[in-house]
C-alpha cells in the first residue's frame, strides 16, 4: 500500500513553520535596516563608523557621499538622544 | 542637511548655535559616510600618504587632541580633495561600488566587479592604481587575482 498522504501533513506543517519564522526574521531585520541586510561581525571600528553615520544622516544605515559635510555636522547632538537606552549594535 | 532627529525632538532644535572659539582654525569636515569612504579608502591612502603618516607620528608623541590639530586639518583637506576628484570623473562607478558594499556588509571581497569598474575608470582618468600597502610582491594583488576555475 503506498504512503498515505495524511502522514506527510506534519512534515508540511513543520516546513511551513520554518518558512514563517524565516520570513518573520527577515522582515524584522529588513525593516530595522531600511531595506538592507543586517550587518554582522561588527568590530569597534564598524560601530564607531555607524555612529558617525548616525551623526551625518540620522540613521545607522543611511549613506551619503558628499565630499564636504554640512555645517551642522559639527554641532548637532540629536544622535545622542536616548543613547543610553539604545542597544542596537548587533 | 540637518540630522532629522526624532518626532518630538526635531533635528533643528539640536543644533548648537554658539560659534566655535576664535583661536581654532575652521576646517570643513568630510561628509561621506562609511561605505563611500571604504570604497575610496585605498585611493585616499595613496594620495594622502604623507599627511596621514605625519598625523600618526604626531599622535604617537602625544594623544592630546590639541597637539595635532594642524596635521589633522591637512589630513581632512587631503581626503576631501581626493573624494572631490573621484566624484568629478567617476561618480556612477563610485556610487555603484559603494551601494554594493552597503548591501554586502562592507566586505570588499564580495564586490569585485564593481571595484574593477571603478579602478579602470580612475586609472583612465587620473592614472591612480589601487595598491595594497605591504602586500607580497611575488604574487598578484588580491583584487587582481583571477579565479583558478572559470
Amino acid at each position: 500500500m503506498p504512503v498515505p498522504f495524511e502522514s506527510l501533513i506534519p512534515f508540511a506543517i513543520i516546513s511551513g513553520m520554518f518558512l514563517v519564522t524565516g520570513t518573520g526574521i527577515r522582515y524584522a531585520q529588513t525593516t530595522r535596516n531600511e531595506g538592507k541586510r543586517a550587518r554582522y561581525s561588527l568590530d569597534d571600528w564598524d560601530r564607531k563608523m555607524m555612529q558617525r553615520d548616525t551623526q551625518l544622516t540620522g540613521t545607522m544605515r543611511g549613506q551619503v557621499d558628499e565630499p564636504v559635510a554640512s555645517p551642522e555636522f559639527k554641532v548637532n547632538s540629536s544622535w545622542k538622544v536616548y543613547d543610553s537606552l539604545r542597544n542596537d549594535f548587533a | 542637511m540637518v540630522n532629522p532627529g526624532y518626532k518630538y525632538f526635531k533635528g533643528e532644535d539640536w543644533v548648537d548655535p554658539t560659534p566655535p572659539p576664535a583661536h581654532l582654525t575652521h576646517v570643513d569636515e568630510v561628509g561621506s559616510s562609511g561605505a563611500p569612504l571604504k570604497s575610496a579608502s585605498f585611493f585616499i591612502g595613496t594620495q594622502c600618504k604623507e599627511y596621514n603618516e605625519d598625523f600618526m607620528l604626531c599622535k604617537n608623541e602625544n594623544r592630546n587632541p590639541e597637539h595635532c590639530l594642524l596635521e589633522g586639518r591637512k589630513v581632512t583637506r587631503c581626503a576631501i580633495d581626493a573624494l572631490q576628484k573621484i566624484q568629478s570623473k567617476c561618480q556612477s562607478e563610485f556610487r555603484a561600488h559603494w551601494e554594493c558594499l552597503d548591501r554586502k556588509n562592507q566586505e570588499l571581497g564580495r564586490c569585485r566587479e564593481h571595484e574593477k569598474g571603478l579602478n579602470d575608470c580612475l586609472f583612465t582618468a587620473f592614472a591612480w592604481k589601487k595598491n595594497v600597502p605591504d602586500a607580497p610582491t611575488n604574487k598578484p594583488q588580491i583584487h587582481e587575482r583571477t579565479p583558478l576555475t572559470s
Side-chain angles (χ1 to χ4, degrees), chain A residues 33-51:
Chain A
N33 286 287
E34 299 148 24
K36 304 170 190 165
R37 305 277 291 270
R39 298 208 48 193
Y40 55 93
S41 302
L42 290 175
D43 57 358
D44 219 13
W45 174 285
D46 293 321
R47 283 190 213 110
K48 293 201 156 100
M49 190 59 111
M50 286 162 93
Q51 190 190 62

Side-chain angles (χ1 to χ4, degrees), chain B residues 37-100:
Chain B
L37 278 180
K38 183 150 193 175
S39 168
S41 54
F42 285 98
F43 301 107
I44 298 177
T46 44
Q47 295 306 307
C48 302
K49 188 164 187 282
E50 302 89 18
Y51 304 112
N52 294 351
E53 285 177 355
D54 270 344
F55 182 69
M56 286 200 281
L57 289 170
C58 167
K59 275 285 193 191
N60 212 16
E61 295 163 14
N62 188 358
R63 295 296 290 269
N64 191 8
E66 266 198 288
H67 183 238
C68 294
L69 284 177
L70 175 68
E71 285 86 358
R73 283 198 290 274
K74 289 185 191 167
V75 165
T76 313
R77 286 182 196 139
C78 181
I80 288 179
D81 189 52
L83 279 170
Q84 274 168 343
K85 281 189 182 157
I86 294 179
Q87 291 253 348
S88 67
K89 287 284 177 64
C90 294
Q91 200 187 45
S92 51
E93 286 91 349
F94 182 51
R95 286 218 166 132
H97 187 222
W98 68 252
E99 277 166 12
C100 169

Side-chain angles (χ1 to χ4, degrees), chain A residues 22-64:
Chain A
T23 312
I25 288 179
R26 185 178 262 236
Y27 172 71
Q29 284 187 343
T30 315
T31 324
R32 268 190 218 173
N33 286 287
E34 299 148 24
K36 304 170 190 165
R37 305 277 291 270
R39 298 208 48 193
Y40 55 93
S41 302
L42 290 175
D43 57 358
D44 219 13
W45 174 285
D46 293 321
R47 283 190 213 110
K48 293 201 156 100
M49 190 59 111
M50 286 162 93
Q51 190 190 62
R52 184 177 181 271
D53 293 351
T54 321
Q55 237 176 322
L56 260 180
T57 62
T59 52
M60 268 173 25
R61 300 299 300 272
Q63 307 281 332
V64 287

Side-chain angles (χ1 to χ4, degrees), chain A:
Chain A
M1 143 172 204
V3 174
F5 73 91
E6 292 93 353
S7 63
L8 297 174
I9 294 176
F11 289 109
I13 295 175
I14 293 170
S15 319
M17 287 299 122
F18 272 113
L19 267 175
V20 164
T21 48
T23 312
I25 288 179
R26 185 178 262 236
Y27 172 71
Q29 284 187 343
T30 315
T31 324
R32 268 190 218 173
N33 286 287
E34 299 148 24
K36 304 170 190 165
R37 305 277 291 270
R39 298 208 48 193
Y40 55 93
S41 302
L42 290 175
D43 57 358
D44 219 13
W45 174 285
D46 293 321
R47 283 190 213 110
K48 293 201 156 100
M49 190 59 111
M50 286 162 93
Q51 190 190 62
R52 184 177 181 271
D53 293 351
T54 321
Q55 237 176 322
L56 260 180
T57 62
T59 52
M60 268 173 25
R61 300 299 300 272
Q63 307 281 332
V64 287
D65 65 351
E66 315 288 325
V68 178
S70 58
E72 291 90 9
F73 171 57
K74 285 200 220 195
V75 292
N76 68 357
S77 59
S78 62
W79 57 278
K80 284 195 239 182
V81 174
Y82 296 149
D83 200 41
S84 58
L85 296 180
R86 268 196 245 146
N87 191 22
D88 44 7
F89 299 127

